[in-house]
Amino acid sequence: MGTLSRKNKHLILKMFSLFSVVRGYNILVILLAQYLTAIFIIAPDTSLRGILFDVSLLMLVLASAATIAGGYIINNFYDSEKDLINRPRKTQLDRLVSQNTKLSFYFILNFLAVIFASYVSFRAVVFFAGYIFGIWIYSHKLKKYPFIGNLTAALLAITPFFAIFLYYKNLDTVIFVHASFLFLVIAMRELTKDLENLKGDLVQGYHTIPVVFGERTSKWMLTALAGFTIIPIYYLINHFEIGYMYVYFYASVVALLFFLGALWKSQEKLHYLLLHNILKFIIVAGVFCIVLIEPSEWLRFVPFRM
């Protein structure tokens, strides 16, 4: 019994390790964001039941989940030495699963993504094949270079939403304005992560913006990116119908001002970790605040409404 107990504990630890590698919590947030975006922004005239019970949409969301999970695995594979310096505790947990096992899961997840996409259309297969390749080339090569690495990371982060845009054939201006705000905040997060991981990047020879141009230049770039977020916020509040979501955008401005105040005082890894978490909070809060665009929308799905 004792031996079985130890085996069970080891298996549970491996499951936690794999969940940590694929960052399951991030994937759940992205899946929720895709559905909320479809309901409130992309297809507001489609019934809630029509969206929630659309099998093709579900297949696209599952394809996104499998591709993103695979992306986290291949990123973890290439960054294992760097992460040992930057995140020693997390890396110890991640290493409970062997590199061969991780690669096996990577190929299985990508295969599943293509299978899910094939249910929708051949174009969906091509889209996700390109997405998978983009994640691989970013993890293998592009992330080691300044500017292009940050730009690619931000674009890859919002790519799953374009699958939903194309599915509903809705490319309205408001969608791109929302996407531009998200892109800017994600670009800020990527640059903040580079500051946070400066030590490991230096040791492993990554040519990130902080490594090549220094911390001060990176802070000025972050300040500029924060300033640019005012443009989509202004247009969303003043030119589009966003319901009560204006509260979120005003709160985001306050959070970004706090971020900038703390940024110019930051000098240590712990400080940059806090700043990273502020940006992550803005992104995750934005997902849940999508419902503020039309709170009464949920009434369409009340099953026993008279």
Side-chain angles (χ1 to χ4, degrees), residues 277-291:
N277 287 332
I278 290 172
L279 295 173
K280 186 182 289 187
F281 177 78
I282 292 173
I283 294 168
V284 174
V287 171
F288 291 98
C289 287
I290 290 173
V291 300

Side-chain angles (χ1 to χ4, degrees), residues 169-195:
K169 296 181 174 61
N170 184 350
L171 297 175
D172 288 346
T173 305
V174 64
I175 293 171
F176 287 97
V177 181
H178 274 284
S180 65
F181 172 78
L182 180 60
F183 173 83
L184 288 167
V185 177
I186 291 174
M188 290 179 67
R189 190 191 67 170
E190 291 300 321
L191 183 49
T192 303
K193 279 168 59 180
D194 286 343
L195 285 166

Side-chain angles (χ1 to χ4, degrees), residues 40 174 178 235-244 293:
F40 293 97
V174 64
H178 274 284
Y235 278 101
L236 284 167
I237 291 174
N238 292 285
H239 296 281
F240 299 102
E241 293 292 331
I242 59 169
Y244 294 105
I293 292 176

